[in-house]
Amino acid sequence: MAYFSVLAVTPTSEDWIPDYIAPANKLVAKHGGKYLARTANHEQLEGKTQSSALRIVIEWPSRDAAVNFMNDPEYVPHLKARTAGSESFHFLIQGKDDLAS
């Protein structure tokens, strides 16, 4: 079953970004992930304002693939750099409809 990472990222420093993009791209692909969106072009249509510079959506083939990416020893230093240099929120969403009849 597919899972989706939905992230809101606002950099507080841009120092980490040049060293982050290429390795993250490689490691997402290594774990079967596919970027569906990485953009600063987004708008909030509902709810209390939660501004964010970037919105990112990644499709994963499974929960394990997403978790293995996050725990990959090659990714860990990049994750630490991103979280130290940004305000980030990451939600992992199972690709199913619990409310379907």
Side-chain angles (χ1 to χ4, degrees), residues 46-60:
E46 187 176 351
K48 183 179 176 184
T49 301
Q50 296 182 337
S51 62
S52 178
L54 301 167
R55 299 289 177 162
I56 298 128
V57 180
I58 305 169
E59 181 178 12
W60 301 102

Side-chain angles (χ1 to χ4, degrees), residues 43-47:
E43 62 184 296
Q44 184 172 338
L45 299 177
E46 187 176 351

